[in-house]
């Protein structure tokens, strides 16, 4: 026999000689079954290791000077495009009146004709009709107020649109442009009359400061009267211009880029699969009224939401992104080149009331009274949550955890298999002795 080394006494795996081993049929069956179980469990462990899940985290939003995009698509079947104005304002004092950049107005046929879209070229009532044919020295009158700063010719109102801007600058109502040479030349009143029964769909996106604010869609051109924000409602409330109401359908409203469908399924998980309705609860909302003087208000609580793909690492971006965000085209803000996504989700409560006042007795709430007055339209007031949700893609376990699991499977399965084989062998041996005795 070879000389024993000093490690022989430490051997925890004692061996038996080949002649002392007994091989049985039951042992072979248990061995094959245990191997199959080991392969099956190891495959499950590998699949679990390869599985990617989204782990949500809640942190304090430390961003500063950020901006965010608002995307909307809203139809108004009873208000023509010429009467609709989109205004934005926030607590920082920034105002965007008559927002046009990034916003499209799609003219809709009357509701009695199905409300189908009409050629976009028919939208512009103020068609570009330069006054050059009137002479190079022509200077249109502004009819009282000073010429707007954006006038094509300083100190003059060459078009009907410039006269309207001049009236708005001094908070004067404009009406249908009767007696205004520029509007009569452009047939503004006739075109407005032709749209009286049509509807409008406002779609597109715009960028705002990430602070408390509101945006609204209301009739008529807006202007400031002292400390008040008001709209020229003459054409909207004029019975000769049609039966206008703010019946509307919100096809979608979101803050920031949309999450792809495959990501929403990951975020929700198997037990609670998400849809984009979880992020944008106002999608496919419809409100109907027969009252022209009616006001709809939606109060939104906006929560910043980030999505980081597997393996994402912070590139050390500064939290102050206010300047760089303006360099990105609308629709691309929040989309990272590394697959990350910065967006927002929101919750909403709504309120509606008639501007004529009264109570909600028809809805069973006689004690609920409404104030008189206000601006008809659809108003969205948003507040920014101080918290931020981070959805981060991660593997369910590390490679070390996978190896540990494999070792546990192999060791545990073989240990149980050995105990079963031992029990079967001992039982068979005792039964054989009983029969022989």
């Amino acid at each position: 026999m070879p000389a024993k080394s000093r490690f022989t006494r430490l051997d925890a795996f004692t061996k038996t000689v080949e002649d002392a081993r007994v091989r049985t049929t039951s042992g072979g069956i248990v061995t094959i079954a245990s191997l199959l179980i080991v392969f099956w469990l190891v495959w499950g462990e590998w699949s679990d290791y390869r599985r990617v899940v989204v782990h949500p985290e809640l942190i304090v939003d430390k961003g500063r000077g950020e901006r965010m995009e608002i995307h909307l698509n809203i139809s108004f079947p009873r208000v023509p495009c010429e009467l609709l104005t989109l205004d934005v304002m926030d607590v920082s004092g920034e105002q965007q009146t008559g927002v046009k950049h990034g916003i499209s107005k799609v003219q809709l046929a009357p509701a009695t004709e199905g409300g189908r879209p009409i050629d976009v070229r028919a939208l512009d009532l103020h068609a570009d009709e330069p006054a050059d044919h009137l002479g190079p020295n022509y200077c249109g009158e502004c009819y009282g107020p000073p010429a707007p700063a954006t006038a094509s010719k300083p100190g003059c109102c060459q078009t009907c649109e410039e006269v309207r801007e001049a009236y708005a600058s001094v908070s004067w109502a404009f009406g249908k442009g009767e007696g205004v040479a520029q509007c009569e030349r452009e047939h503004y009143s006739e075109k407005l009359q032709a749209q009286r029964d049509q509807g409008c769909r406002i779609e597109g996106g715009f960028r705002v400061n990430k602070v408390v604010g509101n945006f609204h869609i209301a009739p008529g051109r807006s202007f400031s009267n002292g400390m008040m924000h008001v709209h020229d409602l003459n054409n909207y409330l004029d019975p000769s211009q049609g039966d206008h109401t703010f019946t509307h359908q919100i096809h979608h409203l979101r803050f920031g880029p949309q999450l792809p469908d495959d990501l929403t399924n990951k975020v929700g998980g198997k037990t609670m699969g998400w849809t984009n309705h979880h992020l944008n609860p106002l999608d496919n909302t419809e409100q109907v009224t027969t009252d022209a003087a009616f006001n709809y208000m939606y109060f939104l609580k906006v929560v910043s939401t980030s999505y980081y793909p597997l393996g994402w690492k912070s590139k050390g971006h500064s939290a102050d992104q206010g300047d760089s965000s303006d360099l990105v085209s609308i629709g691309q803000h929040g989309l990272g080149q590394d697959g990350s996504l910065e967006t927002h989700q929101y919750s909403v409560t709504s309120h509606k009331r008639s501007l004529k006042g009264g109570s909600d007795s028809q809805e069973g709430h006689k004690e609920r009274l409404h104030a008189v007055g206000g601006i008809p339209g659809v108003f969205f007031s948003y507040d920014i949550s101080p918290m931020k949700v981070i959805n981060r893609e991660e593997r369910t376990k590390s490679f070390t955890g996978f190896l540990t699991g494999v070792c546990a499977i192999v060791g545990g399965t073989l240990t149980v298999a050995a105990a079963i084989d031992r029990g079967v062998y001992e039982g068979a041996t005792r039964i054989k002795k009983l029969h022989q005795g």
Side-chain angles (χ1 to χ4, degrees), residues 15-320:
K15 287 80 176 174
T16 58
V17 296
E18 185 67 27
D19 295 341
R21 296 178 181 177
V22 178
R23 301 182 185 276
T24 62
T25 303
S26 61
I29 296 175
V30 171
T31 300
I32 295 175
S34 62
L35 289 177
L36 294 176
I37 292 174
V38 166
F39 287 136
W40 180 62
L41 293 178
V42 169
W43 173 255
E45 190 74 8
W46 171 255
S47 300
D48 191 38
Y49 164 69
R50 296 293 300 171
R51 185 164 58 92
V52 177
V53 297
V54 178
H55 287 165
E57 306 173 16
L58 188 63
I59 64 172
V60 175
D61 190 357
K62 299 180 180 179
R64 302 184 306 277
E66 294 182 349
R67 294 174 68 83
M68 64 180 179
E69 288 184 356
I70 301 176
H71 298 264
L72 51 80
N73 188 322
I74 307 176
S75 293
F76 299 88
R78 304 301 299 271
V79 186
C81 287
E82 175 60 20
L83 296 183
L84 290 178
T85 300
L86 172 62
D87 296 332
V88 185
M89 55 196 68
D90 59 43
V91 295
S92 69
E94 179 177 304
Q95 293 191 21
Q96 303 177 48
T97 58
V99 178
K100 295 180 180 179
H101 179 67
I103 298 294
S104 299
K105 291 183 178 180
V106 180
Q107 197 171 2
L108 303 178
T112 56
E113 300 178 10
R116 68 186 184 281
I118 301 177
D119 194 334
V120 176
R121 290 177 298 180
L123 285 177
D124 190 8
L125 297 189
H126 309 282
D128 293 332
E129 299 180 11
D132 296 342
H133 64 284
L134 298 176
N137 297 324
Y138 172 75
C139 179
E141 184 181 356
C142 295
Y143 298 89
T150 57
S152 56
K153 187 174 183 179
C156 304
C157 293
Q158 304 294 81
T159 64
C160 182
E161 175 67 10
E162 291 181 355
V163 177
R164 293 186 67 198
E165 291 183 6
Y167 270 57
S169 66
V170 293
S171 305
W172 289 0
F174 184 76
K176 294 181 287 186
E178 299 93 338
V180 178
Q182 295 90 327
C183 297
E184 292 179 352
R185 183 179 69 243
E186 298 174 13
H187 306 287
Y188 173 74
S189 179
E190 292 85 345
K191 293 177 181 178
L192 185 63
Q193 183 69 16
Q195 287 192 14
R196 54 176 291 180
D197 296 325
Q198 295 176 358
C200 184
R201 184 172 72 235
I202 295 182
E203 58 186 19
F206 53 94
R207 197 165 291 161
V208 298
N209 294 321
K210 195 175 176 181
V211 295
V212 177
N214 76 83
F215 64 95
H216 58 266
I217 302 171
R221 184 179 292 271
S222 61
F223 51 86
S224 297
N225 188 356
M227 298 298 293
M228 298 179 61
H229 179 83
V230 295
H231 285 252
D232 181 3
L233 304 179
N234 284 350
N235 291 334
Y236 175 77
L237 298 178
D238 186 354
S240 66
Q241 293 300 312
D243 185 16
H244 301 142
T245 68
F246 264 92
T247 293
H248 63 278
Q249 181 178 6
I250 303 175
H251 304 292
H252 76 253
L253 175 67
R254 56 185 170 86
F255 292 75
Q258 184 81 300
L259 276 181
D261 291 338
D262 58 335
L263 296 188
T264 57
N265 294 332
K266 289 181 180 179
V267 171
K270 294 182 179 179
T271 58
M272 188 187 65
W274 277 31
T275 64
N276 279 313
H277 181 71
H278 288 80
L279 302 178
N280 312 317
L282 279 179
D283 287 3
N284 300 317
T285 298
E286 185 173 9
Q287 297 281 3
V288 179
T289 181
T290 57
D291 187 356
F294 211 82
N295 177 288
Y296 292 94
M297 291 175 284
Y298 298 95
F299 302 94
L300 314 175
K301 191 73 171 182
V302 181
V303 182
S304 300
T305 304
S306 300
Y307 176 83
Y308 299 144
L310 184 67
W312 181 90
K313 292 184 178 180
S314 175
K315 304 297 189 302
H317 298 302
S318 172
D320 187 0

